[in-house]
Amino acid sequence: MPGADKEADLTERIEAFLADLKRGGCGTGPIRGSGETARETTALLRKVTAQARWSSAGDLMEIIRKEGRRMTAAQPSETTVGNMVLRVLKIIREEYARSRGSSEETDQQESLHKLLTSGGLSDENFRQHYVHLKANVIEAINELLTELEGTTDNIAMQALEHIHSNEVIMTVGRSRTVEAFLKDAARKRKFHVIVAECAPFCQGHEMATNLSKASIETTVIADAAIFAVMSRVNKVIIGTQTVLANGGLRAVNGTHTVALAARHHSTPLIVCAPMFKLSPQVVITTVVRNRIILSKVNVHCPVFDYVPPELITLFISNIGGNAPSYIYRLMSELYHPEDHDL
Amino acid sequence: MDKDELVEYFRTQVRQDPEVPSAVAAIRTLLEFLKRDQTGETILGLRENLTQTIRRLEEADSSVAVSSGGELFLRFISLTSLEHPDLSQCKKVMVERGELFLKKISLSRSKVAKLCHTFIKDGAKILTHSSSRVVLKVLESAAADKKRFTVYVTESQPDSAGRQMADKLQNLNIPVTVVLDAAVGYIMEKVDLVIVGAEGVVESGGIINKIGTYQLAVCSKAHNKPFYVVAESFKFVRLYPLNQQDVPERFKYKADTLKAVEDLAEEHPMIDYTPPSLITLLFTDLGVLTPSAVSDELIKLYL
């Protein structure tokens, strides 16, 4: 039966994705960049919406939540998966409200204003069936996918405003977003880049090679030299794995060092992060990889650093530049507060 | 309902249920006044009566919370009267919505506790200031979640409220130590985080709380310890103090002191202002907010 085949195909796709996620976490960093993970997750969720059996928005949200929980459990450190699930849930809520024809969903957040003026305790249970809901949701997810595909270009387009001629820019490790950002500026400006190698995986080396292929003058330094070199640096531009709800970062280890050195020298710290990296979490659990290099020594090697929001000057995302104190506002536009704990 | 009856009703509310926040008691009193009021014929008249009533309540209890509760209620009246210009219809809707509002905010302490207790990790050492019912609720839910932690409470003179807090915590089987107000700097290196309540949250995202809170905040900033504030959303007040002197005198001293004493310069203030730069996060029933998000909330309500 064609229906059962499609379902089997869907479960197979999901299983393959989960296995990929589980593998991607160990070794020299993720096999795929987070942008790809975000696109794959969204494409999978679109498939689930199209093929799974559901009759009301409430059912669909339950199915998506269930799949979302499985996916986040496979690789808890890859937060983009969870973020995309939350985006899709918000899309479903919005399309449902639009189908009902209600205009009051412009502000779904709890606020003092809502507390005072709302007519009754809202028990929205999303049980109503609407014929066009499926098509609308799939169309909205397609829009989301288009947005995801354009994020790196949107960020790179803003490069010329921030990088000036003969500047010395420092970066840490390897970030595809920062790479595109710097390459775009290099088309019109001449500047110098210093890359901290970011031991023990030394992804900075790959970054330096790629940048020099684009004819950018690049220097690689050891992590220990970050503070010493910082006095010569005009700007620090970094990528990140996740942006937390309070404006802080969860970035590759070594980033906190760079941020503190930059604060000490009053150097601006710019973070290039697309919107799909924004996570509603505030608390983070440290992820640690242990490598036994000698038989009696245990090497503790945290993979990520927490950078507090006070050390960051500017966030550049696909929707423009923002201060860290504004991140909570962007988050409220992307996700619904009831979905924060999947 | 005349003014003395009103104050008596307010005082009874507080006496009967010592757990009730003073802003909620004030709003209940105002709602009662609304129900019993027969004299008002226009909405403007009603508002004037209410403003006078609120002033009378503030004379009875000078805390910031009563003032914020009163202003919230006035705002509530304005918003409702915009939708229903007819007085009797308006009154009916107001009473309904008022009851609903009271029901919702009775749940706010539990919402705050649910948000905050995840930030308390196993083995944490917490420092708190004076006696706050919201902080107590947070620590209660953390203890119910089988977390092990110890608490240091400042004694908080001049009324030694910290000792009452310590007793309540001991009843919950939480290990607690009372420290002198002057020992805050001494103890700060041992603690992991600081959690305080607030009597009022001002527009800048700072807080007004029992005297000694500002000291605590400065010390925790110097030691790089997170400083968390737990407060319900009805405590948001439309003040913007720039320093300690900017806080209005009517909040600084107890109601009896204000009436009895001529020269307030001789009196010890009961509250101080903590600027938003020293606060890490605010836990409210509207969610976990950074101090910059507070003014956003107030703008959404009042403008």
Side-chain angles (χ1 to χ4, degrees):
Chain A
M1 268 168 33
D5 273 343
K6 267 206 252 174
E7 275 202 30
D9 179 50
L10 180 63
T11 17
E12 208 184 284
R13 278 274 298 266
I14 298 180
E15 294 301 325
F17 184 62
L18 288 176
D20 230 356
L21 275 179
K22 273 195 207 130
R23 258 186 309 125
C26 49
T28 58
I31 293 177
R32 55 172 86 214
S34 43
E36 271 181 62
T37 318
R39 279 192 289 274
E40 271 261 5
T41 317
T42 318
L44 253 179
L45 291 174
R46 179 180 57 185
K47 257 200 153 212
V48 169
T49 314
Q51 288 174 4
R53 239 169 279 156
W54 52 276
S55 58
S56 70
D59 293 335
L60 177 60
M61 279 165 53
E62 257 320 300
I63 296 176
I64 303 256
R65 262 190 216 120
K66 203 178 67 144
E67 293 303 327
R69 257 173 258 150
R70 280 178 70 203
M71 292 197 256
T72 41
Q75 184 62 264
S77 68
E78 190 62 65
T79 44
T80 30
V81 174
N83 297 345
M84 287 298 106
V85 174
L86 295 189
R87 285 294 286 272
V88 172
L89 285 173
K90 176 122 201 246
I91 287 175
I92 299 173
R93 281 173 197 269
E94 273 174 11
E95 291 302 328
Y96 182 77
R98 202 172 301 162
S99 307
R100 284 183 90 210
S102 47
S103 52
E104 17 108 335
E105 54 80 40
T106 41
D107 185 8
Q108 296 218 3
Q109 303 292 326
E110 278 290 328
S111 76
L112 276 178
H113 190 106
K114 258 191 79 183
L115 272 183
L116 290 184
T117 56
S118 60
L121 289 163
S122 56
D123 28 54
E124 208 33 292
N125 58 2
F126 296 97
R127 287 290 147 213
Q128 283 248 16
H129 174 74
Y130 291 105
V131 183
H132 299 294
L133 189 62
K134 190 169 194 170
N136 288 346
V137 171
I138 294 189
E139 195 185 310
I141 299 184
N142 284 336
E143 275 174 33
L144 179 60
L145 271 169
T146 331
E147 184 197 313
L148 286 177
E149 275 159 32
T151 46
T152 319
D153 291 326
N154 280 332
I155 294 179
M157 274 192 321
Q158 302 172 51
L160 283 174
E161 292 167 13
H162 298 280
I163 299 182
H164 309 294
S165 287
N166 294 326
E167 275 197 328
V168 179
I169 312 231
M170 179 183 277
T171 183
V172 184
R174 172 151 191 248
S175 162
R176 289 171 187 78
T177 319
V178 176
E179 209 183 294
F181 192 77
L182 294 173
K183 280 183 183 167
D184 194 276
R187 290 188 292 118
K188 290 227 175 101
R189 306 257 157 88
K190 267 232 139 330
F191 53 91
H192 195 120
V193 178
I194 300 181
V195 183
E197 69 178 2
C198 202
F201 302 129
C202 291
Q203 295 192 313
H205 296 176
E206 217 186 311
M207 176 81 155
T209 329
N210 293 345
L211 286 177
S212 58
K213 280 195 196 138
S215 325
I216 302 176
E217 269 186 60
T218 321
T219 314
V220 177
I221 59 166
D223 297 340
I226 287 173
F227 194 86
V229 179
M230 187 58 76
S231 51
R232 309 268 224 86
V233 173
N234 296 112
K235 284 195 176 80
V236 182
I237 304 184
I238 55 175
T240 174
Q241 201 252 6
T242 312
V243 179
L244 301 171
N246 63 347
L249 299 182
R250 188 176 179 221
V252 76
N253 73 322
T255 314
H256 198 182
T257 320
V258 175
L260 286 170
R263 168 53 51 111
H264 185 268
H265 288 94
S266 297
T267 314
L269 178 71
I270 300 176
V271 180
C272 291
M275 277 289 104
F276 63 77
K277 285 191 177 165
L278 187 56
S279 162
Q281 294 171 301
V282 186
V283 195
I284 44 153
T285 42
T286 24
V287 180
V288 172
R289 302 270 178 264
N290 284 324
R291 282 176 26 158
I292 311 227
I293 47 178
L294 309 167
S295 57
K296 289 200 170 73
V297 175
N298 219 347
V299 178
H300 211 234
C301 183
V303 180
F304 296 120
D305 261 347
Y306 169 64
V307 182
E310 299 90 54
L311 301 175
I312 303 167
T313 317
L314 184 69
F315 277 99
I316 297 183
S317 69
N318 46 311
I319 53 181
N322 289 301
S325 54
Y326 198 62
I327 293 292
Y328 77 90
R329 183 65 181 269
L330 296 174
M331 206 185 65
S332 71
E333 285 169 22
L334 292 179
Y335 312 127
H336 193 274
E338 273 170 36
D339 298 327
H340 282 179
D341 321 295
L342 259 190
Chain B
M1 195 181 184
D2 78 331
K3 308 290 185 287
D4 293 318
E5 267 182 40
L6 219 67
V7 177
E8 213 17 73
Y9 188 86
F10 175 73
R11 292 230 170 89
T12 329
Q13 289 278 320
V14 179
R15 234 194 333 259
Q16 277 177 349
D17 184 7
E19 290 296 306
V20 73
S22 21
V24 176
I27 293 177
R28 258 192 219 143
T29 317
L30 291 171
L31 201 61
E32 193 58 33
F33 171 79
L34 195 63
K35 281 188 209 164
R36 296 198 207 168
D37 176 54
Q38 303 300 330
T39 57
E41 282 177 4
T42 62
I43 293 185
L44 199 60
L46 186 63
R47 270 188 72 97
E48 271 181 36
N49 279 346
L50 275 172
T51 324
Q52 279 179 10
T53 318
I54 292 174
R55 212 162 292 147
R56 191 73 184 73
L57 272 177
E58 281 176 9
E59 279 172 30
D61 179 346
S62 71
S63 65
V64 184
V66 169
S67 167
S68 74
E71 249 198 83
L72 207 60
F73 197 77
L74 270 180
R75 183 66 187 159
F76 168 58
I77 301 294
S78 314
L79 287 173
T80 325
S81 63
L82 283 175
E83 296 173 30
H84 306 274
D86 170 46
L87 182 64
S88 49
Q89 168 74 324
C90 185
K91 256 194 181 173
K92 215 164 48 97
V93 175
M94 274 193 242
V95 170
E96 256 175 51
R97 285 211 188 143
E99 297 289 346
L100 205 60
F101 177 60
L102 280 172
K103 212 185 303 173
K104 275 195 222 180
I105 57 182
S106 63
L107 302 166
S108 34
R109 247 185 223 160
S110 335
K111 277 197 210 171
V112 176
K114 206 167 73 141
L115 280 176
C116 190
H117 81 249
T118 44
F119 281 69
I120 300 177
K121 305 210 169 38
D122 235 353
K125 297 201 186 62
I126 303 172
L127 175 59
T128 183
H129 184 63
S130 184
S131 176
S132 163
R133 289 166 292 201
V134 192
V135 176
L136 189 62
K137 189 100 203 227
V138 168
L139 295 177
E140 215 184 297
S141 16
D145 208 20
K146 303 288 193 296
K147 294 211 175 116
R148 276 165 299 193
F149 53 91
T150 47
V151 182
Y152 295 94
V153 189
T154 56
E155 194 185 28
S156 181
Q157 296 290 9
D159 55 1
S160 287
R163 294 197 182 272
Q164 289 171 17
M165 181 78 163
D167 290 333
K168 289 188 211 163
L169 284 170
Q170 261 171 358
N171 290 342
L172 295 169
N173 286 329
I174 297 173
V176 56
T177 316
V178 177
V179 299
L180 295 173
D181 295 340
V184 158
Y186 171 79
I187 203 89
M188 191 58 77
E189 59 187 31
K190 284 199 216 171
V191 304
D192 297 313
L193 66 152
V194 183
I195 305 183
V196 301
E199 292 194 23
V201 179
V202 296
E203 257 185 83
S204 56
I207 58 166
I208 293 184
N209 199 24
K210 185 82 184 293
I211 190 95
T213 313
Y214 180 45
Q215 214 153 284
L216 200 60
V218 173
C219 255
S220 62
K221 185 83 182 185
H223 285 262
N224 259 321
K225 309 283 178 184
F227 185 84
Y228 298 129
V229 173
V230 288
E232 304 100 311
S233 59
F234 51 77
K235 288 180 177 164
F236 287 14
V237 68
R238 285 191 80 186
L239 275 177
Y240 206 118
L242 297 173
N243 55 21
Q244 305 297 335
Q245 306 308 318
D246 272 350
V247 180
E249 302 243 307
R250 65 182 200 273
F251 296 138
K252 282 191 191 166
Y253 311 98
K254 282 204 166 6
D256 316 318
T257 326
L258 284 168
K259 276 184 269 195
V261 171
E262 282 296 313
D263 184 11
L264 285 171
E266 304 277 311
E267 291 298 316
H268 297 292
M270 295 297 287
I271 55 159
D272 62 19
Y273 162 66
T274 307
S277 50
L278 301 171
I279 300 173
T280 318
L281 284 176
L282 284 120
F283 295 91
T284 68
D285 50 338
L286 304 173
V288 181
L289 304 175
T290 49
S292 34
V294 171
S295 46
D296 217 17
E297 283 299 324
L298 279 167
I299 290 174
K300 275 195 261 189
L301 174 63
Y302 284 106
L303 288 171

